[in-house]
Amino acid sequence: MNSLTLGLTTTPARKHFKETSGQNNHFLITVLVGLDAVSEGKAKLNKEFSTSWNPQDVERSANRSRDYAIKTSLAWVTDLVDVYRISIMRLPGAFTAEQLEFINNSEKDNKTNSRSVKLQSCIRVIGEIDSCDLALVQLGIYWRNRIVHSSASSTLDSDVKGRLRKNVGYFKEVYRGLDVELALQAAVNGNAPRFKEVASIIQASHRLVEAMDTRVVSLLSAEIYADSILHHHISKLPKEELSNTMLKIWPGDTLTSERKLGKILEQNGMSRTPAASAILPQSYLEELSKLSLAEAKKRFCKP
């Protein structure tokens, strides 16, 4: 058998976040470079577009399109942060029922900023997260609400503003000259962010999700998580294939069972690496591999 123990280094939620937002800054820059060509009158409509395009004022059209691209990027990345938070809260073995209730009920007194409040409450539960990156992401969430919901009456939390202003030097250094006061003023007024501001919020989102994920994995029960993977895998089997497939996993040979169970876990996010934070005890697979087919059905199949 493989000498490396199975474990979890990153959650599926973070992998999805990276896949959907990993190159956001590159994509945005590419769009803005293209819009510069529009502004300069160098862009031509490709034959593949079955529509007309003939702006009377190309510079104004390019500037409005630039605002659109930047606003859309801001909305996209802040929505993905919220999707990430929701996803990790659904991870088996990551949060207790009491912790989930605390996070979900934290918005009661501030429903207009519910995403920001729930994010902060989630981080409060898992602990040990840099508050600077969180503050910049919370500014992004507030800014997104001001832009998407033009009539939004929400106000930026004074604690968020305080953390931003208290760490002006940090933001200027880490985010390459980000001006916190200019960003705050534009957000409160509901103006479109500049490229520097949205690029900084995207970067902060990645830093925050990475820190959250490291912490969540370290708190995760690998055994509960592995059990959930196997339950889900078996529950998705067609009824007519269930017995035959489970017989292949539990054929009465412990080495075969251990190998097949390990493969299922590896295919669903777990890996054999010494860097894993959530380590699955070797005894877990050893005990499962000793189950008879009847015992395995009793454990993993719904009555």
Side-chain angles (χ1 to χ4, degrees), residues 3 21 23-24 48 60 96 122 135 161 175 187 190 198 210 298:
S3 59
S21 66
Q23 290 191 292
N24 276 18
E48 70 176 273
R60 182 170 180 271
T96 66
C122 183
K161 285 191 284 190
Y175 294 98
V198 76
E210 180 181 9
K298 185 176 180 181

mmCIF file of all heavy atoms in Angstrom, residues 3 21 23-24 48 60 96 122 135 161 175 187 190 198 210 298:
data_model
loop_
_atom_site.group_PDB
_atom_site.id
_atom_site.type_symbol
_atom_site.label_atom_id
_atom_site.label_comp_id
_atom_site.label_asym_id
_atom_site.label_seq_id
_atom_site.Cartn_x
_atom_site.Cartn_y
_atom_site.Cartn_z
ATOM 1 N N SER A 3 2.661 4.415 1.204
ATOM 2 C CA SER A 3 3.122 4.720 2.557
ATOM 3 C C SER A 3 2.623 6.073 3.055
ATOM 4 O O SER A 3 2.621 6.326 4.255
ATOM 5 C CB SER A 3 4.656 4.693 2.603
ATOM 6 O OG SER A 3 5.189 5.644 1.695
ATOM 7 N N SER A 21 -12.050 32.285 -10.288
ATOM 8 C CA SER A 21 -11.601 33.672 -10.105
ATOM 9 C C SER A 21 -10.084 33.827 -10.159
ATOM 10 O O SER A 21 -9.570 34.930 -9.992
ATOM 11 C CB SER A 21 -12.090 34.208 -8.750
ATOM 12 O OG SER A 21 -11.470 33.496 -7.682
ATOM 13 N N GLN A 23 -7.873 33.995 -12.466
ATOM 14 C CA GLN A 23 -7.269 34.895 -13.448
ATOM 15 C C GLN A 23 -8.118 36.140 -13.700
ATOM 16 O O GLN A 23 -8.040 36.744 -14.775
ATOM 17 C CB GLN A 23 -7.024 34.139 -14.760
ATOM 18 C CG GLN A 23 -5.918 33.092 -14.664
ATOM 19 C CD GLN A 23 -5.538 32.565 -16.033
ATOM 20 O OE1 GLN A 23 -6.317 31.874 -16.682
ATOM 21 N NE2 GLN A 23 -4.344 32.887 -16.492
ATOM 22 N N ASN A 24 -8.908 36.511 -12.716
ATOM 23 C CA ASN A 24 -9.805 37.658 -12.897
ATOM 24 C C ASN A 24 -9.059 38.930 -13.273
ATOM 25 O O ASN A 24 -9.500 39.684 -14.155
ATOM 26 C CB ASN A 24 -10.611 37.902 -11.610
ATOM 27 C CG ASN A 24 -11.837 37.017 -11.541
ATOM 28 O OD1 ASN A 24 -11.926 36.019 -12.242
ATOM 29 N ND2 ASN A 24 -12.783 37.372 -10.699
ATOM 30 N N GLU A 48 -17.593 37.568 -37.126
ATOM 31 C CA GLU A 48 -18.337 36.560 -36.355
ATOM 32 C C GLU A 48 -19.503 37.175 -35.581
ATOM 33 O O GLU A 48 -20.425 36.473 -35.170
ATOM 34 C CB GLU A 48 -17.420 35.822 -35.379
ATOM 35 C CG GLU A 48 -16.949 36.674 -34.217
ATOM 36 C CD GLU A 48 -16.126 35.879 -33.220
ATOM 37 O OE1 GLU A 48 -16.729 35.278 -32.311
ATOM 38 O OE2 GLU A 48 -14.888 35.871 -33.345
ATOM 39 N N ARG A 60 -16.272 57.837 -25.470
ATOM 40 C CA ARG A 60 -17.292 57.751 -24.416
ATOM 41 C C ARG A 60 -17.788 56.322 -24.267
ATOM 42 O O ARG A 60 -17.986 55.820 -23.165
ATOM 43 C CB ARG A 60 -18.462 58.688 -24.755
ATOM 44 C CG ARG A 60 -19.553 58.711 -23.680
ATOM 45 C CD ARG A 60 -20.550 59.827 -23.943
ATOM 46 N NE ARG A 60 -21.585 59.854 -22.908
ATOM 47 C CZ ARG A 60 -22.723 59.170 -22.966
ATOM 48 N NH1 ARG A 60 -22.979 58.412 -24.038
ATOM 49 N NH2 ARG A 60 -23.600 59.240 -22.000
ATOM 50 N N THR A 96 -19.688 23.037 14.056
ATOM 51 C CA THR A 96 -20.722 22.436 14.905
ATOM 52 C C THR A 96 -22.060 23.085 14.587
ATOM 53 O O THR A 96 -22.119 24.159 13.968
ATOM 54 C CB THR A 96 -20.408 22.651 16.392
ATOM 55 O OG1 THR A 96 -20.485 24.066 16.686
ATOM 56 C CG2 THR A 96 -19.016 22.141 16.752
ATOM 57 N N CYS A 122 -18.302 34.146 10.336
ATOM 58 C CA CYS A 122 -17.663 32.884 9.981
ATOM 59 C C CYS A 122 -16.183 32.919 10.365
ATOM 60 O O CYS A 122 -15.654 31.953 10.940
ATOM 61 C CB CYS A 122 -17.821 32.634 8.483
ATOM 62 S SG CYS A 122 -17.148 31.069 7.909
ATOM 63 N N ALA A 135 -11.181 43.386 5.960
ATOM 64 C CA ALA A 135 -11.761 44.730 5.856
ATOM 65 C C ALA A 135 -11.856 45.178 4.399
ATOM 66 O O ALA A 135 -12.858 45.775 3.986
ATOM 67 C CB ALA A 135 -10.928 45.725 6.658
ATOM 68 N N LYS A 161 -14.487 50.632 8.406
ATOM 69 C CA LYS A 161 -13.798 51.884 8.063
ATOM 70 C C LYS A 161 -12.606 52.126 8.981
ATOM 71 O O LYS A 161 -11.538 52.556 8.542
ATOM 72 C CB LYS A 161 -14.778 53.064 8.162
ATOM 73 C CG LYS A 161 -15.754 53.142 7.013
ATOM 74 C CD LYS A 161 -16.515 54.448 6.997
ATOM 75 C CE LYS A 161 -17.600 54.485 8.043
ATOM 76 N NZ LYS A 161 -18.497 55.664 7.885
ATOM 77 N N TYR A 175 -0.775 46.384 -1.390
ATOM 78 C CA TYR A 175 -1.606 46.510 -2.583
ATOM 79 C C TYR A 175 -1.092 47.609 -3.514
ATOM 80 O O TYR A 175 -1.857 48.259 -4.215
ATOM 81 C CB TYR A 175 -3.057 46.736 -2.173
ATOM 82 C CG TYR A 175 -3.626 45.521 -1.461
ATOM 83 C CD1 TYR A 175 -3.676 45.463 -0.069
ATOM 84 C CD2 TYR A 175 -4.048 44.415 -2.183
ATOM 85 C CE1 TYR A 175 -4.154 44.337 0.592
ATOM 86 C CE2 TYR A 175 -4.527 43.282 -1.531
ATOM 87 C CZ TYR A 175 -4.573 43.252 -0.155
ATOM 88 O OH TYR A 175 -5.033 42.119 0.487
ATOM 89 N N ALA A 187 -16.642 54.482 -2.864
ATOM 90 C CA ALA A 187 -17.610 53.447 -2.483
ATOM 91 C C ALA A 187 -18.860 54.068 -1.872
ATOM 92 O O ALA A 187 -19.984 53.698 -2.218
ATOM 93 C CB ALA A 187 -16.960 52.468 -1.495
ATOM 94 N N GLY A 190 -21.037 55.523 -4.369
ATOM 95 C CA GLY A 190 -21.584 54.581 -5.349
ATOM 96 C C GLY A 190 -20.962 54.704 -6.720
ATOM 97 O O GLY A 190 -21.563 54.298 -7.715
ATOM 98 N N VAL A 198 -10.347 47.733 -7.746
ATOM 99 C CA VAL A 198 -10.967 46.419 -7.946
ATOM 100 C C VAL A 198 -9.901 45.326 -7.986
ATOM 101 O O VAL A 198 -10.107 44.211 -7.485
ATOM 102 C CB VAL A 198 -11.847 46.391 -9.211
ATOM 103 C CG1 VAL A 198 -11.026 46.313 -10.480
ATOM 104 C CG2 VAL A 198 -12.808 45.210 -9.162
ATOM 105 N N GLU A 210 -7.654 31.970 0.959
ATOM 106 C CA GLU A 210 -6.538 31.066 1.255
ATOM 107 C C GLU A 210 -6.347 30.909 2.766
ATOM 108 O O GLU A 210 -6.175 29.793 3.272
ATOM 109 C CB GLU A 210 -5.247 31.596 0.626
ATOM 110 C CG GLU A 210 -4.042 30.708 0.901
ATOM 111 C CD GLU A 210 -2.755 31.237 0.299
ATOM 112 O OE1 GLU A 210 -2.737 32.390 -0.193
ATOM 113 O OE2 GLU A 210 -1.751 30.488 0.316
ATOM 114 N N LYS A 298 -24.915 -1.819 5.370
ATOM 115 C CA LYS A 298 -25.593 -1.316 6.556
ATOM 116 C C LYS A 298 -25.053 0.046 6.956
ATOM 117 O O LYS A 298 -25.796 0.926 7.399
ATOM 118 C CB LYS A 298 -25.417 -2.303 7.717
ATOM 119 C CG LYS A 298 -26.180 -1.925 8.974
ATOM 120 C CD LYS A 298 -26.046 -2.992 10.054
ATOM 121 C CE LYS A 298 -26.814 -2.609 11.315
ATOM 122 N NZ LYS A 298 -26.674 -3.641 12.379
#
